[in-house]
Amino acid sequence: MPPPASALEPTRGQFVGRRRELKELRADIDRAGLDTLSGRKAPRARVLLVAGRPGSGRTSLAEELARQLADDYPDAVLRARLTDPDGSRVPTERTARELLDALGVPAPPGAAEDDLTGILRDALSARRALLLLDDATDAEQVDPLLPDTPDCLVVAVAEGPLTGIPDVRPCTLGGLDKAAAVELLARAAGPVRITVDPRSAESLVEACAAHPAALVLAGGWLGSRPKAAVADLAKQIHDMPDEGSPLARVFAHTYASLPGPPARILRFLSLAPAGHVDPHTASALAGCSVSAARTTLDDFVALGLVRAVESPLPQYEVPGCLVPLLKARTESQDRPAEIQLARARMLERTVRLLQSCRAVTEPDASAARRKLAGMPRALRFPGPRAAAEWLRIRRPALLAAARLAVADGELDTLARRLMAALVRALVAHRGTEDAAPELYGIHRLVLDVAERRNLPREQAAALLNLADLDAQTGRTRDALARYRAALDAGRAAGDPYATGRAMESVGGAYQELGDWSRASDWFGRALAQRLARGERTDAARLYGRIGAAHTYAGRYGEALRNWSSAVTGYRRSGDVAAQARALSEMARVQEYAGRPEESLRTCQEAVELARHAEDVRLQAALQLRLADTLERLGDPAAARLHRGAAERMLGEELPQSARLETNGGAAPSAYEIRSASTED
């Protein structure tokens, strides 16, 4: 993910001026703080503050400082943007997770803000790292992210002071000095015209108030018009009616020079999620071809209106300082219906790209691949690797699109389709475990829409998905509450799948909490529903879960009766491997109950079934169980034979303590948003 630098602030190769500010900031690192003066070691990282209005070059200065200091902080240079381009605050939870991802430190999905910031501080406690926190709104955003070690450094970028963080002296930016401003203008416009007419260049700098973003726009306009005179541009900007800041005046001049179609594309870029644009996004927003959108975006780069991002894919960034100006133009020149239609086109295009991204992972003869073949070439990926790379690079924008679609509230049907397609693509390319943090956030968004639209079926599915992730990360009581809420929603929707899954999962949560009686009771309720619907295979699995709960509780008679019913159910369904596993559990319970001879016979029967099922690992595990039982019966020679057979099956690396493990059949996963309206 590229660093969140404003597109109108000079990048590393373009940085000019600010030598005094850089010197002051570097000196501030070693300045004695209040703790040092009082004889105490500083408990936290030093915070340097670069303060200035958007477009003043504040991010560029912070980036240049980070570049110069990188060798002093060899463990990591981390970047995070604390405000979205639309001006909304980025939740600290999301920022902490992004920083942890950059460090390669795992964090449980759904973890609370305090937990995530605590994990982040722990991860940084043994590192020398530099954090660049861009576009901070206030101290409350920055404070939870500060490392608890003076070996780290934080460079914060904000519009004003961060009142509440002690011992921070802001480096406040105004315009560039005259020499640096002329140099920046020359870099954007080309050096010849600036060199031959230095007085006009200085006049243009004065008209732009030496504001870096305004100078980049003015230089871009000149660069695209080789015959235009610098003096003429300076006079035009001087004579423009007062539209507020110098940046607003220069932008108005540049915008007025654009033909109608490019101007429309530019306005609609303010709708791009998280300020990230690719040709598909621009094409969908403006209703033009992908190739035309890319050509226009490249023209905007030359004009200084957007910045090309270094990426394997064509990617562009809309500068935060221009977003309010673009929004104002959109609101004044485009009808609300046109804006909503542009958003709808963008979401629909994103859904189709995600469907294509997922479909390319399917077998060649599958229905998804046949549907993919009928899509336009521009929406198809050459292979799974290219699709996975697109998903990785576009992930921040895709997640932002989902959040914006839900927050908008006017396009909920498209939002639901987008989230369903995003879940499927993430699972297809990364798997549920690796993508769990993103999935958790998406399921919460699904729940928001389902509650807002009173869609109990989707509400139940989202609650089940969230509860599964809670359960997997040890938040069992949170999972239990969500499973119960999913049961209520499933009943309201008349959805037997959701109610059955919820009842079984409630039982699983109670089992995890060690409440065996409640666990077996809830498994029994789920079993009654399965039997009433004639779902014999699921019923057999539930008999096993009830048997496991009774086994944990020491009620061996009840456990054996339920395991026997599980064996019968699997036999009737023809699932030989499952029947063998159930018999092995019966053997375990018989052994616990002090009936080793019965256990031996049952285990031998399970071995034969496993052999018939050609399940080598199951055979080996059962051979080890036989060996243990024979040792307890006083036949070590026979035990060695069975242990040797297991080792031959799986290799000598098999530990002698290996055991066949089962939970009696776990509830199936619910990693799918079950709604007819969200099906591909």
Side-chain angles (χ1 to χ4, degrees):
M1 184 176 173
S6 168
L8 289 188
E9 295 184 353
T11 59
R12 172 179 170 179
Q14 298 175 318
F15 185 80
V16 296
R18 305 297 191 193
R19 293 186 180 87
R20 177 182 58 80
E21 291 88 345
L22 279 169
K23 184 177 179 181
E24 289 177 357
L25 287 166
R26 297 198 66 156
D28 204 21
I29 299 172
D30 300 321
R31 175 177 58 86
L34 298 176
D35 290 290
T36 304
L37 292 173
S38 63
R40 297 190 303 269
K41 183 179 179 181
R44 307 182 82 181
R46 165 79 74 185
V47 179
L48 306 181
L49 174 59
V50 179
R53 295 182 63 81
S56 62
R58 57 185 190 173
T59 299
S60 293
L61 175 59
E63 286 282 359
E64 177 65 15
L65 179 65
R67 185 187 68 80
Q68 294 183 11
L69 296 174
D71 290 342
D72 297 332
Y73 297 92
D75 293 328
V77 176
L78 307 173
R79 297 167 176 83
R81 185 171 183 168
L82 306 188
T83 303
D84 281 328
D86 63 0
S88 59
R89 297 163 61 101
V90 174
T92 303
E93 169 193 341
R94 195 199 314 164
T95 302
R97 191 176 291 283
E98 288 175 359
L99 292 171
L100 287 168
D101 285 345
L103 284 170
V105 176
E113 175 185 312
D114 290 345
D115 294 331
L116 289 169
T117 54
I119 296 170
L120 176 63
R121 289 193 297 272
D122 288 343
L124 293 171
S125 63
R127 289 177 166 91
R128 284 187 61 82
L130 187 153
L131 275 68
L132 198 165
L133 304 179
D134 193 15
D135 213 0
T137 302
D138 51 41
E140 284 70 24
Q141 279 188 302
V142 175
D143 188 72
L145 304 171
L146 296 183
D148 292 326
T149 170
D151 292 333
C152 291
L153 176 70
V154 175
V155 179
V157 176
E159 191 163 342
L162 297 178
T163 306
I165 298 180
D167 204 22
V168 178
R169 297 191 306 190
C171 175
T172 304
L173 301 186
L176 291 167
D177 63 78
K178 184 180 294 185
V182 170
E183 182 182 351
L184 179 58
L185 184 63
R187 290 189 182 185
V192 176
R193 280 179 289 179
I194 304 302
T195 304
V196 300
D197 193 359
R199 290 191 176 181
S200 294
E202 291 177 2
S203 177
L204 181 55
V205 166
E206 181 184 345
C208 295
H211 188 279
L215 289 169
V216 170
L217 281 182
W221 187 90
L222 285 171
S224 66
R225 293 166 173 78
K227 296 183 179 180
V230 178
D232 290 343
L233 177 60
K235 184 176 186 305
Q236 290 169 14
I237 294 176
H238 269 298
D239 294 344
M240 286 186 69
D242 187 7
E243 291 201 23
S245 68
L247 175 61
R249 291 197 298 274
V250 179
F251 171 77
H253 180 272
T254 300
Y255 179 82
S257 68
L258 294 175
R264 184 169 181 270
I265 293 178
L266 181 63
R267 292 196 304 273
F268 282 165
L269 292 186
S270 65
L271 305 176
H276 294 288
V277 185
D278 67 350
H280 276 288
T281 303
S283 162
L285 285 170
C288 64
S289 70
V290 176
S291 60
R294 180 166 187 179
T295 299
T296 303
L297 288 170
D298 289 335
D299 291 342
F300 289 163
V301 172
L303 286 168
L305 291 166
V306 299
R307 170 178 170 262
V309 177
E310 291 185 13
S311 168
L313 301 175
Q315 289 247 97
Y316 305 83
E317 210 168 38
V318 181
C321 59
L322 286 190
V323 170
L325 301 174
L326 294 175
K327 282 189 172 180
R329 287 290 192 286
T330 303
E331 291 169 0
S332 64
Q333 297 183 28
D334 299 288
R335 296 192 303 272
E338 291 176 328
I339 298 172
Q340 200 71 316
L341 180 59
R343 287 196 177 102
R345 284 195 305 263
M346 179 182 65
L347 292 178
E348 181 63 38
R349 176 70 60 85
T350 306
V351 168
R352 298 188 71 190
L353 283 166
L354 285 166
Q355 290 171 345
S356 174
C357 180
R358 192 278 304 266
V360 77
T361 66
E362 297 290 325
D364 290 340
S366 65
R369 289 299 288 267
R370 290 195 298 271
K371 184 177 180 180
L372 177 62
M375 285 187 175
R377 184 176 296 275
L379 298 179
R380 300 202 299 263
F381 296 94
R385 182 174 297 180
E389 181 73 352
W390 174 83
L391 184 63
R392 180 188 68 80
I393 292 171
R394 293 293 295 166
R395 182 186 65 167
L398 293 169
L399 294 172
R403 291 191 295 267
L404 288 173
V406 172
D408 178 75
E410 298 296 326
L411 299 169
D412 278 348
T413 298
L414 271 172
R416 289 154 59 203
R417 292 181 58 219
L418 171 64
M419 291 184 288
L422 184 51
V423 166
R424 295 185 182 111
L426 288 169
V427 171
H429 286 280
R430 295 175 53 194
T432 54
E433 184 175 352
D434 185 41
E438 290 90 348
L439 295 175
Y440 199 95
I442 296 169
H443 295 320
R444 285 201 295 200
L445 293 173
V446 173
L447 183 60
D448 289 343
V449 175
E451 290 176 341
R452 181 166 66 209
R453 294 291 182 178
N454 191 24
L455 303 169
R457 189 182 184 195
E458 291 185 27
Q459 186 178 350
L463 286 165
L464 286 170
N465 290 326
L466 289 167
D468 285 345
L469 289 167
D470 284 332
Q472 290 167 18
T473 51
R475 298 190 298 272
T476 309
R477 294 197 178 277
D478 291 338
L480 179 59
R482 281 195 161 121
Y483 284 135
R484 285 183 171 275
L487 177 59
D488 293 338
R491 285 170 172 164
D495 186 342
Y497 170 84
T499 55
R501 267 280 286 114
M503 286 189 288
E504 185 173 350
S505 297
V506 168
Y510 277 123
Q511 180 170 297
E512 185 68 24
L513 293 169
D515 192 336
W516 317 121
S517 295
R518 282 196 174 97
S520 58
D521 174 58
W522 280 97
F523 289 146
R525 298 185 195 192
L527 172 63
Q529 186 202 56
R530 299 292 188 183
L531 290 173
R533 293 174 56 82
E535 298 169 349
R536 299 297 175 183
T537 301
D538 286 324
R541 179 174 48 77
L542 281 161
Y543 276 124
R545 299 205 77 176
I546 296 170
H550 285 308
T551 302
Y552 290 135
R555 297 189 290 267
Y556 300 131
E558 287 293 323
L560 285 172
R561 280 191 288 275
N562 280 280
W563 279 117
S564 178
S565 297
V567 170
T568 301
Y570 287 131
R571 184 174 65 249
R572 289 176 176 172
S573 67
D575 191 338
V576 178
Q579 186 182 350
R581 291 189 181 91
L583 280 169
S584 74
E585 290 305 310
M586 280 189 67
R588 185 204 297 268
V589 178
Q590 288 165 343
E591 190 173 319
Y592 291 162
R595 294 146 64 176
E597 291 83 1
E598 290 183 32
S599 175
L600 183 63
R601 289 193 297 271
T602 304
C603 200
Q604 288 170 336
E605 184 182 354
V607 169
E608 290 302 316
L609 287 170
R611 185 178 296 117
H612 180 67
E614 299 180 348
D615 190 330
V616 177
R617 293 191 63 84
L618 178 58
Q619 290 180 62
L622 288 166
Q623 292 284 1
L624 288 173
R625 177 164 293 168
L626 277 171
D628 290 345
T629 303
L630 286 165
E631 282 180 349
R632 279 189 282 274
L633 288 172
D635 193 347
R640 284 194 296 274
L641 289 174
H642 286 286
R643 199 175 300 282
E647 290 172 352
R648 286 191 297 275
M649 289 176 185
L650 296 181
E652 294 183 0
E653 76 278 4
L654 184 71
Q656 294 211 352
S657 60
R659 294 286 186 276
L660 177 69
E661 295 181 358
T662 180
N663 63 356
S669 172
Y671 279 106
E672 186 173 6
I673 302 171
R674 301 183 63 256
S675 172
S677 64
T678 61
E679 290 298 318
D680 286 351

